[in-house]
Amino acid sequence: MTTEELVDFDVALEKYDPVLGFEVHVELNTKTKMFSDAPNAFGDEPNTNVTPVDLGLPGVLPVVNKTAVEYSILIGLALNCQIAEKCGFARKNYFYPDTPKNFQTSQYDDPIAHDGWLDIELEDGEVFRVEIERAHMEEDAGKLTHMGGAAGRIQGADYSLVDYNRAGVPLVEIVTKPIVGAGARAPELARAYVAAIREIVKNLGVSDARMERGNVRCDANVSLMPKGAEKFGTRTETKNVNSLRAVEHAVRFEIERHAAVLDSGQKIVQETRHWHEDTRSTTSGRPKSDADDYRYFPEPDLVPIVTTADWIEQLRSRLPEPPAERRKRLKAEWGYADKEFRDVVNAGVLDEIEATIAAGATAAVARKWWMGEIARLAKAADKEITEVGVTPETIVEIDQLIQGKNINDKIARQVLEYVLAGEGTPSQIVEQRSLAIVNDDAALGKAVDDAIAAMPDVVEKIKGGKMQAIGALMGPVMKATRGQADAGRVRELVMEKLGL
């Protein structure tokens, strides 16, 4: 099935009802791994944060990371789950190069948290409840890097390299129950749900929640039911989607693809699929395994985890402000209109704006930059706003330069681009590139004199009371000063020189 062999999204929804399901994997930011004392750190040299336990060498025994268990309970509580009084680990058996033990230590029939729910607010304020089946603990696999071929994909690669630094990193997998009734809003709900999970784990402080690093990854399950049917269709699972935009697009694509397959009289193959950001399409991965294929059995080297009411309540007391209450408070504190605040939430920059305000910017300035120039740069680069690389401190420094009349808005936008190009801090760039506003009366005076002499007709209009005509003189002055003239001072000089 190619990207051309699709059914229009709206047409597909006239015939079929989508059924969704999400498995969101959250990497925990503990200091060490789930079952070993190897460092849990991102970006270190490959295969340096590895112990015999991570590699499953003979004679080694795992030890459970207590902090990871507590973080898992916190996630379960935040998702309104019931916390198991007793649970254990299981071995999920499969061979893949990034799993050196040939099994993954996970949980099967007794997860740490189960039967929860999460209310998801969509762009127009509608709330959709998503039922959570379970949130269980497990360990991450290593990371494969495919060499050669197209765009680093496994298809067409000459060979693959494996880095076991990630093997054994603590994970919580959050699994929803089947989601029905979303209809045309299914892609939007997918994005909003993953965004809500990311917001929760980030606010809990249990994960760095950086999707571009794989801290939060989503497996998106999609199936279609003919209108009026009661039995779910065959599902596909798009694996390891790691951006909000990609989750939304993957769900939309799979709905269109499923509809095309079903309309042609063929059957959907139950399989995993790979997401390709460049073409915004999926391709076939491998037949989807059922639980029996993994030959789960209890992990013999780990004792069960027993929780107590006191322990759970102690952890519950650490829960931060619920997201809905936080949004209500921030909206009131910042003084944003309903639409302004909704746009901020939908753009996923609530945390960034809060951090920018905390760093010293006003609420208006923070929204102006994140929803304006930074959003424009993100769109131009085809990235999420949070992936552009702008820090709150950069915004504050740029605003301080504007308030100090060192630069204007136009120059500030140029400075931001130079910052993102790695040229230094805003202040350094202004100095190195000589971008400071020209407010020296001698330099401005000459430019104003030249403009007045070159445009006598404009001067007559100004003297005749048409003060808006001063704007016509601004162009030549700005051109003469490379756009760096202090517009306010230029206006004052024009008035002075014309005796007004």
Side-chain angles (χ1 to χ4, degrees):
M1 184 66 61
T2 67
T3 55
E4 288 76 26
E5 295 172 317
L6 302 174
V7 170
D8 179 80
F9 183 74
D10 293 332
V11 174
L13 293 185
E14 292 175 1
K15 303 178 182 179
Y16 305 101
D17 290 321
V19 180
L20 308 179
F22 303 108
E23 300 162 20
V24 177
H25 298 77
V26 178
E27 282 187 347
L28 306 180
N29 58 6
T30 54
K31 292 182 179 179
T32 56
K33 293 185 179 181
M34 188 71 203
F35 302 112
S36 80
D37 60 359
N40 176 14
F42 179 85
D44 288 354
E45 286 295 314
N47 298 309
T48 55
N49 299 334
V50 180
T51 70
V53 172
D54 305 315
L55 297 177
L57 297 183
V60 298
L61 290 174
V63 177
V64 175
N65 186 327
K66 181 182 178 181
T67 301
V69 175
E70 292 187 334
Y71 283 4
S72 303
I73 294 173
L74 284 170
I75 290 174
L77 293 172
L79 296 176
N80 304 293
C81 288
Q82 298 180 39
I83 306 302
E85 294 181 3
K86 181 179 180 181
C87 64
F89 289 96
R91 291 189 180 184
K92 181 180 181 181
N93 297 275
Y94 66 95
F95 172 77
Y96 205 67
D98 59 8
T99 309
K101 299 187 297 184
N102 290 339
F103 65 85
Q104 179 189 36
T105 305
S106 181
Q107 292 189 301
Y108 180 44
D109 50 5
D110 51 356
I112 186 74
H114 57 91
D115 294 314
W117 53 268
L118 192 59
D119 283 339
I120 306 300
E121 184 176 348
L122 302 181
E123 289 190 1
D124 61 356
E126 180 183 352
V127 175
F128 198 104
R129 176 161 290 191
V130 174
E131 302 287 342
I132 307 296
E133 179 178 302
R134 57 192 281 142
H136 64 261
M137 299 179 288
E138 60 187 22
E139 59 182 340
D140 210 343
K143 179 176 176 60
L144 289 173
T145 301
H146 307 294
M147 309 302 294
R153 301 173 186 156
I154 190 171
Q155 295 93 341
D158 298 322
Y159 59 94
S160 299
L161 302 175
V162 62
D163 177 10
Y164 289 124
N165 280 352
R166 199 175 67 181
V169 167
L171 274 183
V172 169
E173 181 176 345
I174 302 165
V175 182
T176 69
K177 295 179 180 179
I179 302 169
V180 297
R185 310 200 75 171
E188 179 189 350
L189 176 61
R191 180 186 182 119
Y193 171 74
V194 178
I197 295 294
R198 185 182 67 172
E199 180 183 14
I200 286 171
V201 298
K202 187 174 182 179
N203 291 344
L204 286 171
V206 301
S207 174
D208 295 336
R210 296 182 61 174
M211 295 189 74
E212 75 277 10
R213 289 186 174 182
N215 299 144
V216 176
R217 310 190 295 271
C218 177
D219 296 343
N221 293 268
V222 174
S223 67
L224 295 183
M225 294 190 301
K227 291 286 186 179
E230 297 182 358
K231 183 179 179 181
F232 293 161
T234 302
R235 65 188 172 95
T236 57
E237 180 181 7
T238 304
K239 299 286 289 185
N240 294 324
V241 188
N242 66 349
S243 80
L244 300 179
R245 177 186 54 193
V247 169
E248 181 176 9
H249 290 160
V251 168
R252 174 179 285 267
F253 179 88
E254 280 297 283
I255 289 173
E256 296 175 340
R257 189 187 68 83
H258 278 223
V261 172
L262 294 173
D263 282 357
S264 69
Q266 302 177 60
K267 294 183 178 180
I268 300 293
V269 176
Q270 182 171 316
E271 62 181 353
T272 63
R273 296 187 65 85
H274 300 291
W275 171 250
H276 306 293
E277 182 61 36
D278 54 347
T279 59
R280 292 186 178 175
S281 63
T282 67
T283 56
S284 180
R286 58 177 174 80
K288 176 61 180 172
S289 301
D290 291 317
D292 292 345
D293 297 318
Y294 292 117
R295 295 177 291 114
Y296 282 98
F297 64 82
E299 168 58 68
D301 293 333
L302 292 169
V303 298
I305 293 171
V306 177
T307 62
T308 64
D310 288 344
W311 188 22
I312 292 173
E313 289 309 308
Q314 180 186 11
L315 291 172
R316 193 188 302 274
S317 69
R318 291 166 50 183
L319 290 175
E321 184 179 23
E325 293 181 17
R326 174 177 175 244
R327 291 193 195 100
K328 184 177 179 180
R329 173 179 59 81
L330 292 178
K331 180 178 180 294
E333 289 178 359
W334 297 346
Y336 290 173
D338 290 345
K339 185 178 185 305
E340 290 174 339
F341 192 77
R342 192 180 305 122
D343 288 344
V344 165
V345 172
N346 292 337
V349 291
L350 197 68
D351 291 340
E352 285 69 23
I353 287 182
E354 184 178 31
T356 303
I357 294 171
T362 66
V365 165
R367 186 179 65 83
K368 163 192 163 184
W369 280 97
W370 283 103
M371 299 303 295
E373 185 62 14
I374 301 173
R376 184 191 69 79
L377 292 172
K379 184 176 181 180
D382 199 23
K383 293 181 176 180
E384 302 281 356
I385 297 180
T386 54
E387 295 174 351
V388 174
V390 179
T391 66
E393 292 73 23
T394 294
I395 298 304
V396 171
E397 187 174 348
I398 288 177
D399 184 57
Q400 289 172 343
L401 291 170
I402 294 173
Q403 298 304 318
K405 296 188 176 181
N406 299 106
I407 60 176
N408 55 30
D409 276 357
K410 179 180 179 181
I411 297 172
R413 291 191 291 271
Q414 297 174 3
V415 169
L416 181 60
E417 292 190 15
Y418 295 141
V419 169
L420 295 177
E423 294 190 17
T425 66
S427 297
Q428 292 169 341
I429 290 167
V430 169
E431 181 178 355
Q432 293 165 4
R433 285 183 168 266
S434 300
L435 294 175
I437 284 178
V438 177
N439 53 22
D440 174 64
D441 280 0
L444 290 180
K446 183 179 184 309
V448 170
D449 287 340
D450 291 344
I452 289 174
M455 306 178 75
D457 55 333
V458 173
V459 171
E460 289 304 315
K461 291 180 181 179
I462 297 172
K463 288 182 176 180
K466 295 183 177 180
M467 305 308 295
Q468 65 269 28
I470 291 177
L473 297 178
M474 297 293 290
V477 175
M478 286 296 179
K479 183 176 181 180
T481 59
R482 297 186 304 162
Q484 295 171 227
D486 183 336
R489 184 55 185 153
V490 169
R491 183 180 179 86
E492 291 173 357
L493 286 173
V494 169
M495 300 285 283
E496 290 174 9
K497 289 180 181 293
L498 298 183
L500 301 175

